[in-house]
Amino acid sequence: MGDREQYVRYQQDREVLAVIGALLDPQVGRIAVRLPRNVGESAVAAWERDEPGEAGEESRAERELRGDAAELALIGLAVTSRGVWEGDEVVVDLEVGQIAAALRTAE
C-alpha cells in the first residue's frame, strides 16, 4: 500500500474517532481524582503564572510542550475553583479530556 493510500485511510480513521468522541462527549463529564498536595500546588502555580506575550514560530515538539503546559494550567484552575484540600491531598473533579491529557503525557 502506498503512502498516499495509508494517509487517506488514517484520515478516515481519524474521522471515525471524531464521531466516537462526539458520541461520548455527552455521556462523560468530570471524574473526582485525588492528587498529592505538592502536585496540586504545582498545577495551581502553573495556572497563576503569567506567560509573556504570544508564542512565536514553534516546532511541533515546542507546540506540543506548550499544549501540555496549558493542560497543567487548566488542571490548576480546576484545583483553584473546585478543589477540596484534605490533609496531604486535593480532591478535584477533572474533565475527562484533562485526565486523558495527563495519561497521554505519562506514557
Side-chain angles (χ1 to χ4, degrees):
M1 179 180 295
D3 290 339
R4 178 70 182 145
E5 291 173 355
Q6 189 175 25
Y7 177 80
V8 169
R9 188 180 73 234
Y10 289 165
Q11 282 294 114
Q12 292 168 338
D13 289 348
R14 176 188 266 174
E15 291 169 11
V16 173
L17 186 60
V19 169
I20 292 170
L23 293 168
L24 292 177
D25 186 53
Q27 297 181 52
V28 296
R30 294 178 180 160
I31 298 174
V33 299
R34 291 183 170 274
L35 302 173
R37 177 174 285 277
N38 65 326
V39 173
E41 289 172 345
S42 293
V44 169
W47 169 248
E48 293 175 343
R49 183 173 50 233
D50 287 328
E51 295 294 341
E54 293 185 25
E57 191 171 325
E58 299 176 304
S59 69
R60 180 178 182 164
E62 290 168 330
R63 187 172 47 257
E64 289 174 358
L65 187 61
R66 185 172 50 82
D68 289 343
E71 290 290 350
L72 176 63
L74 291 174
I75 291 172
L77 170 61
V79 170
T80 299
S81 62
R82 59 183 180 269
V84 177
W85 295 97
E86 296 180 355
D88 290 336
E89 295 181 317
V90 61
V91 178
V92 62
D93 292 343
L94 294 181
E95 301 291 335
V96 172
Q98 294 169 320
I99 294 169
L103 291 172
R104 239 185 343 267
T105 305
E107 291 179 343

